[in-house]
Amino acid sequence: MNSTQTKEKFVHEVFESIAPKYDLMNDVLSFRRHKAWRKRTMKRMAMKPGDTAIDLCCGTCDWTIAMAQASGSGRIVGLDFSRNMLELGRRKVQEMGLERQVDLIEGNAMALPFPDNTFDYATIGFALRNVPDLVQVIKEMRRVVKPGGMVVSLELSKPVWQPFKSIYYFYFQRILPLLGRLLAKRYEQYKWLPESLIHFPDHQELARIFRECGLTRVEARPFTGGIAALHLGIKSGEEGGGAAYVE
């Protein structure tokens, strides 16, 4: 088994096991800010009635549902490789009465089962750092959006200023695993999540990767001192395209 397969297998096991406490631990991970970050992201996306989207690594489907509500009638697909996470998401979709609009499928973000130019948006929330090959995932997202469509990542990132940076890393690396043990009965899984951020690109480097994957009009927006960041880019036939950094 190669390193890519090993990571994919391990991550799958992690999310299958933490699914029941995933929403609770999202609050813990983000200091309860993840909902505000998603609202700001949705505002920047500016979805119109009838727009379509695919939400990669959709988890328990909070973002999937938000896009369905913003679109009103467009097809929204939630894709995840964790059956346990999808089952929790399916319950939410049913509670919101969105079964006819939202399709949830078990699948691999690195090989999307859709033709080119299918969706208006492709999104991934708090999962890009967990995939075996983030470049491949971004390229797949670009492939399945229509020309002029938007690729969007909302992800934990690296704080950019002191002393908050030191405080956050202490919390993330030392306190969070203990909270995982206490609240979710999972220690090793939440010890691994901070480690997954160590080798993940900072927001400027990720913006560069977006451009190298062929996206234009790339934006990177750090949130809450840099502990999260929004990245977006447009699929265009034009070459090049600069990046906009909004602090």
Side-chain angles (χ1 to χ4, degrees):
M1 184 179 293
N2 61 37
S3 59
T4 295
Q5 292 171 324
T6 300
K7 179 175 181 179
E8 187 172 12
K9 182 176 184 293
F10 177 74
V11 172
H12 181 266
E13 291 172 352
V14 167
F15 283 94
E16 286 283 82
S17 68
I18 69 175
K21 297 291 185 179
Y22 179 78
D23 288 340
L24 170 64
M25 292 307 295
N26 262 359
D27 286 342
V28 174
L29 273 165
S30 68
F31 301 104
R32 298 181 65 86
R33 295 296 298 162
H34 63 101
K35 294 180 181 178
W37 298 335
R38 189 170 61 250
K39 287 181 179 179
R40 291 178 64 182
T41 298
M42 288 293 296
K43 183 177 180 180
R44 178 63 189 86
M45 289 167 62
M47 291 186 77
K48 302 182 298 297
D51 279 347
T52 60
I54 181 169
D55 187 20
L56 280 63
C57 307
C58 63
T60 61
C61 295
D62 285 348
W63 198 355
T64 316
I65 289 169
M67 288 191 287
Q69 292 172 328
S71 169
S73 59
R75 181 191 185 199
I76 310 296
V77 173
L79 178 143
D80 204 292
F81 69 170
S82 168
R83 190 168 299 177
N84 290 345
M85 299 286 272
L86 283 173
E87 182 55 35
L88 292 169
R90 186 167 286 108
R91 294 176 197 171
K92 291 183 181 179
V93 169
Q94 291 171 348
E95 289 171 1
M96 301 299 295
L98 296 170
E99 301 99 316
R100 294 185 179 182
Q101 186 185 358
V102 175
D103 295 326
L104 299 183
I105 61 174
E106 189 174 344
N108 190 336
M110 298 196 6
L112 300 177
F114 295 96
D116 298 357
N117 309 321
T118 300
F119 301 98
D120 296 303
Y121 294 86
T123 65
I124 185 167
F126 305 110
L128 193 57
R129 74 188 186 284
N130 298 327
V131 300
D133 184 341
L134 67 88
V135 170
Q136 173 63 18
V137 170
I138 294 168
K139 287 181 177 179
E140 276 291 275
M141 295 171 77
R142 181 185 181 277
R143 179 182 68 79
V144 299
V145 297
K146 303 170 186 177
M150 185 180 291
V151 172
V152 187
S153 168
L154 178 59
E155 182 58 273
L156 295 178
S157 191
K158 298 176 180 180
V160 292
W161 50 270
Q162 295 285 13
F164 179 69
K165 181 177 180 179
S166 296
I167 295 170
Y168 179 72
Y169 275 115
F170 178 81
Y171 167 80
F172 205 38
Q173 295 172 341
R174 302 293 182 86
I175 305 301
L176 177 64
L178 298 177
L179 292 174
R181 173 186 288 166
L182 176 66
L183 300 175
K185 311 303 180 187
R186 295 289 186 274
Y187 177 78
E188 290 300 325
Q189 291 86 344
Y190 283 96
K191 183 174 182 292
W192 170 77
L193 286 175
E195 293 172 357
S196 71
L197 186 59
I198 293 174
H199 303 293
F200 189 70
D202 64 24
H203 70 278
Q204 293 182 346
E205 175 68 9
L206 187 56
R208 182 187 65 79
I209 293 171
F210 264 51
R211 296 195 303 274
E212 289 183 349
C213 289
L215 294 164
T216 65
R217 293 160 55 190
V218 174
E219 295 183 18
R221 296 175 177 237
F223 293 153
T224 315
I227 67 174
L230 160 65
H231 288 79
L232 60 84
I234 304 298
K235 179 175 180 175
S236 171
E238 300 174 3
E239 296 294 328
Y245 299 105
V246 184
E247 302 295 339

